[in-house]
Amino acid sequence: MSIGKFNGRHLAAESKTPFLIGVAGGTASGKSTVCARIMEKLGQVDVDTAERKVVTISQDSFYRELTPTEKVRALKGQYNFDHPDAFNETLIYQTLQDILAGKKVDIPAYDYRSNSKSDQLLTIYPADVVLFEGILVFYFPEIRNLFHMKLFVDTDSDTRLARRVPRDINERGRDLEQVLNQYMHFVKPAFEEFCLPTKKHADVIIPRGADNTVAIDLIVQHIRDFLSNRAQATSTSPSHHRKLPGGGDAPLRLH
Ligand SMILES: Nc1ncnc2c1ncn2[C@@H]1O[C@H](COP(=O)(O)OP(=O)(O)O)[C@@H](O)[C@H]1O
Ligand SMILES: Nc1ccn([C@@H]2O[C@H](COP(=O)(O)O)[C@@H](O)[C@H]2O)c(=O)n1
């Protein structure tokens, strides 16, 4: 039984295939914040990671390891982290395929201070909905075609720069000169060449990011509908029918 057609592809109710949502947008546009709001509204934040119905993964976990020379350049803001070549496209594709197959995957956590993977592995347990966010998640056609729904967070460039500077200094251990150099030489031109053109692939564009509560509520409702349909289609007993947080009589509880 199919519980809906998403981007032309049926999702079978009985399959373990998660509903895969891509979330793209420029640096500091609010991609992580939008994903966090969606998780909050679906009551997922306080749920044990192994039990979550909805999970978020960042494309940053898939940066390629740098050579020693590249590491020296990166420390001076002279490495292009915004070019598609900076990412391990094959690993992203394989990981998403495993996730779509309902497998548990381990992905590296990323450490911006050392510009490399940290020792910590993030275990992503099978979930019903997976959000995959990053600047270039719609850039590679084979990866782009895996998403059932594509969102683009569209925030004004000045706002993004004004957010990125303090974030990079306070949270990513950078100095002002390095941040501005990297932005002018790599981040801004790469956004225009590689990220912005992918907006045309989006199903939903979210102007102003997390400030756009109307857009976020619509997306949350769409996810609730998907989860309700799947739960309805797979449950055989009325005892499976429970309430969604804030979602009326929908037949599933998310936390
Ligand atoms: N709507 C907003 N209003 C104010 N600050 C925001 C908003 N959205 C995001 N931020 C801040 O901007 C920075 C970048 O946001 P983030 O969600 O991490 O963007 P991205 O994931 O696109 O890089 C963070 O410091 C975050 O707290
Ligand atoms: N070692 C790194 C890795 C990435 N960046 C920058 O991060 C940006 C992507 O993350 P967002 O949360 O901003 O989407 C990207 O623009 C890279 O320039 C970095 O500075 N250092």
Side-chain angles (χ1 to χ4, degrees):
M1 174 184 179
S2 167
I3 51 170
K5 206 172 178 188
F6 301 97
N7 281 358
R9 296 154 59 207
H10 282 284
L11 272 182
E14 60 282 7
S15 86
K16 288 196 161 67
T17 304
F19 187 49
L20 186 61
I21 305 177
V23 185
T27 181
S29 56
K31 301 179 294 294
S32 315
T33 309
V34 164
C35 292
R37 291 282 183 284
I38 292 172
M39 299 277 294
E40 285 162 20
K41 284 177 184 263
L42 290 167
Q44 294 294 286
V45 177
D46 295 328
V47 178
D48 189 85
T49 50
E51 303 295 328
R52 286 186 181 166
K53 300 274 178 200
V54 187
V55 298
T56 301
I57 301 173
S58 170
Q59 191 180 22
D60 294 352
S61 289
F62 300 93
Y63 271 114
R64 290 183 195 282
E65 277 304 284
L66 303 186
T67 64
T69 316
E70 288 171 334
K71 279 196 171 171
V72 172
R73 281 173 32 215
L75 286 175
K76 295 190 252 177
Q78 293 170 0
Y79 178 84
N80 193 349
F81 286 103
D82 295 72
H83 192 283
D85 290 350
F87 292 96
N88 187 337
E89 177 190 350
T90 312
L91 185 60
I92 297 175
Y93 183 76
Q94 190 52 58
T95 304
L96 292 181
Q97 286 284 33
D98 287 347
I99 286 171
L100 286 167
K103 295 182 188 164
K104 172 171 86 86
V105 295
D106 287 323
I107 61 172
Y110 193 71
D111 176 16
Y112 297 96
R113 290 177 188 265
S114 64
N115 299 306
S116 76
K117 291 170 195 155
S118 76
D119 296 334
Q120 194 199 343
L121 277 179
L122 303 170
T123 300
I124 308 298
Y125 294 93
D128 289 311
V129 178
V130 176
L131 297 152
F132 184 56
E133 65 85 14
I135 50 174
L136 295 179
V137 296
F138 303 153
Y139 179 79
F140 305 102
E142 283 201 325
I143 294 170
R144 183 170 71 229
N145 287 335
L146 296 176
F147 296 114
H148 300 110
M149 187 190 208
K150 297 190 274 299
L151 313 178
F152 191 96
V153 181
D154 198 10
T155 302
D156 161 77
S157 298
D158 293 347
T159 305
R160 293 193 293 101
L161 177 58
R163 287 179 187 163
R164 172 145 173 160
V165 171
R167 182 194 67 185
D168 281 9
I169 292 172
N170 299 327
E171 294 170 29
R172 297 187 179 181
R174 312 284 166 86
D175 67 48
L176 181 61
E177 194 185 346
Q178 176 190 358
V179 175
L180 293 179
N181 263 330
Q182 186 186 349
Y183 190 85
M184 290 310 293
H185 287 106
F186 301 119
V187 181
K188 182 177 162 62
F191 170 73
E192 282 158 12
E193 185 173 357
F194 305 115
C195 176
L196 190 55
T198 69
K199 185 161 77 167
K200 65 175 174 283
H201 300 295
D203 303 305
V204 181
I205 294 168
I206 310 177
R208 306 178 307 284
D211 289 343
N212 194 334
T213 49
V214 173
I216 291 175
D217 286 345
L218 286 169
I219 293 158
V220 165
Q221 191 53 49
H222 189 74
I223 296 174
R224 281 198 178 112
D225 289 346
F226 168 81
L227 292 166
S228 300
N229 288 343
R230 174 166 281 187
Q232 243 163 6
T234 48
S235 70
T236 48
S237 140
S239 64
H240 287 99
H241 287 229
R242 299 183 218 141
K243 269 197 161 132
L244 272 170
D249 293 325
L252 178 71
R253 189 171 182 84
L254 289 175
H255 60 177

